[in-house]
Amino acid sequence: MSRRLWASLDAVARLIGGLATALLAMAVLVWIGVVVLLSCVGVGIVLVPSALSVLRAVANRERARLDVLGPGLVPHRARAALRDVTVRRELAWLLLHATAGFAAGFIGLSLPAMMLQNTTYPFWYHLLPPEDNSPSFLFWTITGPLTVGATGVLCGAFIIALGPALARAQEWPGRHLLAPPAGADLSLRVVELTATRAAALDAHAAELRRIERSLHDGTQNRLVAVNVLLGAVRRAVDRDPAAAHSALDRAQDAAEQALAELRAVARSILPPVLADRGLAGALDGLASSCGVPCELVVDVPGRCAASVEATAYFVVAEALSNVTKHSGATKAVVEVTRQGSRLLLRICDDGRGGADETGGSGLAGIRRRIEAYDGRFTLDSPAGGPTSMRVELPCGS
């Protein structure tokens, strides 16, 4: 049930975000209509490129919201711009999003407000004047506080049942019409893959440096201490047996610490718990040891590639570590699902928000690790909270 509630809240947030871009789309649609009318008398032709550039800017905002790869600039000449396949697709998206997208976003905004108003109505309706205490539901005027409260519950049920589907319907034109068409220039994709490959190499080099530092500064020093203590034991075993026994005890302690540090380094490379218990069991261990109460929901049939499971494990481990150290949260939620060939992770907390990738909290490292696998990383952390991290990884085989 909690999973459905989180999905409903996420759907409402997506619908409201779509409503914002739909309002921009309506304004651009009106402006393009004005330009078309002016073009009939020859005046608006010079405004066509600028109008289409505004359209591209609004479409790019929707692309950023949906995490869709965007095109370049609009051609400068009006005829070339109108012949551009991407511009034509954007015009089709503009018409759909300014109408159906606006309607879906308005429903996503009004239903939660109506639910809140009507469910609480029985507690405050007596404060209203008699002529104003009969609210309407859609096109009907309803009376009786319990009946009004029931309509609020009905609105909540509608959000839970159909909210995610409505959000997907609102996003459908953007995902299909704003995505690069078949046969489009792949130069942007090449640039993106080049950047992610460089990030992967940097992440790999940073990981090697971390392992080297762990072995050099920790394990190697312990082993040197063991060697020195064993030499002292050899020299003292005949003339001072008590000192030899004391040195042996210290050598044993140093050897145990070296073994513990070696195990920690090995686990940081590929946690054995993934092979023993799978991704769900490994994440359950992270959730149970988290410094704040953490709810875990895992719906991943079968196994993903070992490297993908390791990436998901480290992402959740780093995210929960940030929640414990920096967020001041009282609760965290981790959701892991598989949709087709993609592994989806969502980590949320009710903390103070304001997470910043440049603040040294490990978020930049999370992004590099995810992009190294051609994944997607989205962070929403307004000041005051809550914080939501969404990760999408290809499952592999």
Side-chain angles (χ1 to χ4, degrees), residues 28 32 47 84 96 108 137 215 235 270 340 346 363:
V28 174
I32 289 178
L47 299 176
D84 189 353
L96 288 173
F137 179 70
L215 293 176
R235 292 190 296 271
L270 184 64
R346 186 168 177 269
L363 293 173

Side-chain angles (χ1 to χ4, degrees), residues 45-89:
I45 295 177
V46 296
L47 299 176
V48 170
S50 62
L52 295 180
S53 296
V54 174
L55 168 63
R56 176 64 52 85
V58 174
N60 283 340
R61 288 186 66 89
E62 182 72 358
R63 288 187 177 100
R65 187 177 76 90
L66 302 179
D67 200 12
V68 173
L69 187 65
L73 299 176
V74 178
H76 295 293
R77 296 184 177 181
R79 183 172 296 180
L82 292 174
R83 287 178 177 177
D84 189 353
V85 175
T86 303
V87 170
R88 294 179 180 180
R89 291 164 67 94

Side-chain angles (χ1 to χ4, degrees), residues 50 91 96 109 144 148 170 189 237 377 387 390:
S50 62
L91 288 169
L96 288 173
L109 178 63
V148 176
Q170 184 195 52
R189 182 59 174 163
V237 67
F377 172 80
T387 295
R390 297 172 62 90

